[in-house]
Amino acid sequence: IKAQTFPDWECLVVDDGSSPSVEPAFREVAGDDPRFIFHRFEQNRGIPHGANWCYRNAKGEFIQTLGCDEFIAPTKFADQVAYLDANQKIDLIWGVPGNGPMGPVPEWEQYVRGAHNRSREHWLKCFLMLEGVPVGGASALWRKELFDSIGYFDHRLTAFSDHEWFCRVIEKHRVCVLPFRWMNEVPGHKSVCTRTPQNAVKLDNELAYVRDRHLLRPPKSDGLVTLAMPV
């Protein structure tokens, strides 16, 4: 974050009632930089309360999430803000997933990774059917005004809190994957979203909840089908 070429940012960090507090580590990294803002819940509230606190208190025009296992390219903010400023009809963008060199990627790699752009219906199908969802949290940037349009993360969900929110975005707004890699991940990192025998039932119930809330509605068709066949 400190290495960003775009300097007009703020970084909000929430300590979700951890023991001991992470504030000393935060202060060591943040120093006296006023762009770093710390908040602590005295009792653990769980996902996604901390994220929603940040979203409600953020002052910027755009929102960027960053997990503890994610790294972003130094030009990410500059690249993505410039794109959203130039494309006012797009409200949320992602980069191409998968670790590799940061920066532009060839078009073939975007398709090989299943990160091609889709119609609204196909995007929703991709999320609801878990068809290799080709997006990563930290690769995204979106307009803060989306929260005024569709609300915040559902507090009843953990692993699928952002997933369900993206479904709401797709149903009402335009999203886009761009041929850039702006994020790398620490390989093998485990999180609350990692499926284990202990949380499998909870995750299945969350997915069922998302599918009940967001129904696939195929668009009306005149019966004609267009096929594009790469050769």
Side-chain angles (χ1 to χ4, degrees), residues 43-209:
Q43 292 184 337
N44 176 259
R45 302 184 66 185
I47 296 173
H49 293 281
N52 281 340
W53 186 93
C54 290
Y55 301 152
R56 288 189 173 95
N57 288 276
K59 302 181 184 69
E61 182 181 352
F62 304 104
I63 294 291
Q64 152 85 60
T65 65
L66 185 63
C68 61
D69 60 339
E70 298 168 328
F71 297 90
I72 53 176
T75 63
K76 183 180 190 296
F77 296 172
D79 295 342
Q80 293 188 327
V81 168
Y83 180 87
L84 289 172
D85 279 345
N87 296 270
Q88 292 294 321
K89 292 183 178 180
I90 304 294
D91 291 315
L92 185 153
I93 57 177
W94 290 288
V96 172
N99 286 354
M102 301 283 200
V105 302
E107 186 177 9
W108 64 263
E109 183 178 350
Q110 183 174 359
Y111 280 86
V112 165
R113 294 186 179 276
H116 53 281
N117 286 292
R118 302 155 165 84
S119 66
R120 188 185 309 274
E121 293 78 21
H122 281 140
W123 265 124
L124 196 56
K125 179 173 179 284
C126 174
F127 273 80
L128 295 179
M129 304 310 294
L130 302 184
E131 294 178 342
V133 180
V135 300
S139 77
L141 191 75
W142 62 81
R143 302 184 192 277
K144 185 174 185 284
E145 63 192 24
L146 284 180
F147 296 116
D148 298 327
S149 170
I150 63 173
Y152 294 86
F153 285 11
D154 192 323
H155 67 272
R156 289 163 288 195
L157 301 172
T158 53
F160 283 90
S161 58
D162 57 345
H163 190 102
E164 188 275 331
W165 189 81
F166 288 143
C167 290
R168 275 184 270 157
V169 175
I170 290 165
E171 288 174 336
K172 195 172 180 179
H173 297 273
R174 290 184 61 188
V175 302
C176 183
V177 181
L178 299 176
F180 284 79
R181 179 175 288 106
W182 284 297
M183 179 193 80
N184 274 198
E185 294 180 292
V186 176
H189 179 80
K190 305 293 184 184
S191 75
V192 68
C193 301
T194 303
R195 187 181 181 87
T196 66
Q198 291 73 33
N199 68 10
V201 172
K202 177 174 172 53
L203 266 58
D204 288 344
N205 288 338
E206 287 195 11
L207 180 57
Y209 171 86

